[in-house]
Amino acid sequence: LTRKSSGCASRTALRMRSKVNQIARDVHDSVGHGPAYQYRGPGGQVHELFYEVERWQAPPEMASSYPNRPQAYVPRGIAPRQIDHVTVMTTNPLDDVRAPLEQAMSLYGDDLSARAKLEALKVRIDEPLRVVFVGTVKSGKSTLLNALLGEQLAPTDARECTRIVTWYRHGKSPGVRARHAVDGDIRIPMRRQDQRLELDLDHLDPEQIEWLDVTWPASPLEEFTLIDTPGTASISTAISERTREFVAPGGGMSGADAVVYLLRSLHAHDVDFLRGLSERSGGESSMGAIAVLSRADEVGSGRLNSMAIVNKAVDRLREDPSLEAACETIVPVAGLLALAGQTLRQSEFAQLAT
């Protein structure tokens, strides 16, 4: 709450500290509770820190084969896990971020480079959350993105669009523009054909396009900006590098706030990318990554017990030590089924019903 360099606390910090001290006390007289420290956080919520607990010892049939895990994964309920962070709630987290940003901008007023980065951060905190979809070629990124949008906007074949980082933002009217390395922003002709968005890039060299920006009046885009990326582990290393540099640049701020990484099965390049993402984004801006077992409907090959097969496959991935700390969790998704559910027309439903 205090800055050592200045030797004093800000008014905001003093108010926060006074709130904390209003109820700060030790708690240890409840049966089965154990010693703890209770306080009120900056947002007014009551928090409690406990520091003496009886460690869980799993019975032999529930023991994990990995020594750093308290028990084997259980798909039901809440399994014991080690605590790696504590979240403190606040009434308005954006305001808590703006105050130190303003202070930093005043301190670095003479440093043009640092001030430009801080200005970009100040603008970014008021924008929708940026969620980027990453995965190998044909892993189902565009299909899942379309399912979340409820419309077939992202191309799902091998056309040139899939070789370019593409942003999908909310807009009052549809529009597409490209950032060209030489010519700057260029408007791209588009049309809807066969219930999907068609972009005319024939007159442009994809290697010269830095990104595509698609604005669309879709309600999910009011809260999230979705970003489709070229496939990793591509035959062209230059195409794969585009994704890596966008998500986790060697220097500077990442273009994403959160990552959805799509897996069809676990390969060495998937582990390398996720671990590299964790290491490279841990400097100036860290981000959360969720792994998705995509095209999960194909895992069980349509058998009656396909759901059980998918769940076992996900359990194996969750227990895989190579993914330890590389992603937050792993979930199975059938993107094509989700897309069909979102875009199914009445006539198509009637055909299925008969």
Side-chain angles (χ1 to χ4, degrees), residues 1-4 6-21 42 103:
L1 295 176
T2 60
R3 287 189 59 204
K4 293 183 179 179
S6 63
C8 64
S10 67
R11 290 183 181 179
T12 303
L14 287 172
R15 285 198 298 269
M16 290 166 61
R17 185 163 60 185
S18 66
K19 272 189 176 182
V20 169
N21 289 333
Q103 294 176 4

Side-chain angles (χ1 to χ4, degrees), residues 251-323:
M253 184 172 56
S254 170
D257 299 316
V259 176
V260 177
Y261 192 92
L262 282 79
L263 304 159
R264 293 187 66 179
S265 58
L266 189 61
H267 294 284
H269 58 257
D270 296 317
V271 176
D272 291 343
F273 188 95
L274 283 168
R275 288 197 171 278
L277 172 64
S278 178
E279 293 169 2
R280 296 175 72 176
S281 68
E284 293 195 23
S285 61
S286 58
M287 69 188 78
I290 295 176
V292 169
L293 180 61
S294 63
R295 303 172 70 161
D297 50 319
E298 298 178 359
V299 175
S301 301
R303 285 175 281 186
L304 293 177
N305 63 339
S306 58
M307 291 298 296
I309 295 173
V310 170
N311 288 333
K312 287 182 179 179
V314 172
D315 290 345
R316 287 194 297 270
L317 288 173
R318 286 171 175 162
E319 293 286 337
D320 196 306
S322 63
L323 289 178

Side-chain angles (χ1 to χ4, degrees), residues 101-237:
L101 269 177
E102 293 289 350
Q103 294 176 4
M105 290 174 66
S106 63
L107 289 172
Y108 290 94
D110 297 332
D111 189 331
L112 297 180
S113 176
R115 188 174 179 84
K117 291 182 179 180
L118 293 169
E119 289 281 4
L121 282 173
K122 187 178 178 180
V123 172
R124 183 163 170 177
I125 61 175
D126 290 314
E127 295 178 343
L129 187 73
R130 300 177 182 179
V131 181
V132 61
F133 293 80
V134 183
T136 57
V137 177
K138 305 302 288 183
S139 61
K141 301 186 300 297
S142 301
T143 299
L144 178 57
L145 189 148
N146 285 334
L148 292 172
L149 288 175
E151 296 189 58
Q152 293 190 355
L153 296 183
T156 56
D157 55 20
R159 290 171 295 174
E160 299 293 354
C161 301
T162 58
R163 299 173 56 186
I164 304 168
V165 174
T166 306
W167 296 61
Y168 293 88
R169 310 175 194 260
H170 184 266
K172 293 182 179 179
S173 58
V176 182
R177 62 188 178 94
R179 170 60 61 88
H180 195 273
V182 178
D183 301 328
D185 287 357
I186 301 174
R187 286 199 169 275
I188 302 297
M190 65 174 182
R191 63 182 182 276
R192 292 301 293 270
Q193 184 172 343
D194 296 330
Q195 297 186 354
R196 67 180 65 206
L197 187 66
E198 297 282 349
L199 303 181
D200 183 8
L201 299 177
D202 293 340
H203 62 294
L204 296 175
D205 180 5
E207 301 297 329
Q208 295 294 317
I209 300 176
E210 298 178 6
W211 42 255
L212 291 174
D213 195 334
V214 179
T215 57
W216 203 263
S219 56
L221 295 178
E222 294 180 359
E223 298 183 30
F224 302 98
T225 294
L226 304 182
I227 306 169
D228 199 3
T229 60
T232 60
S234 172
I235 297 177
S236 171
T237 56

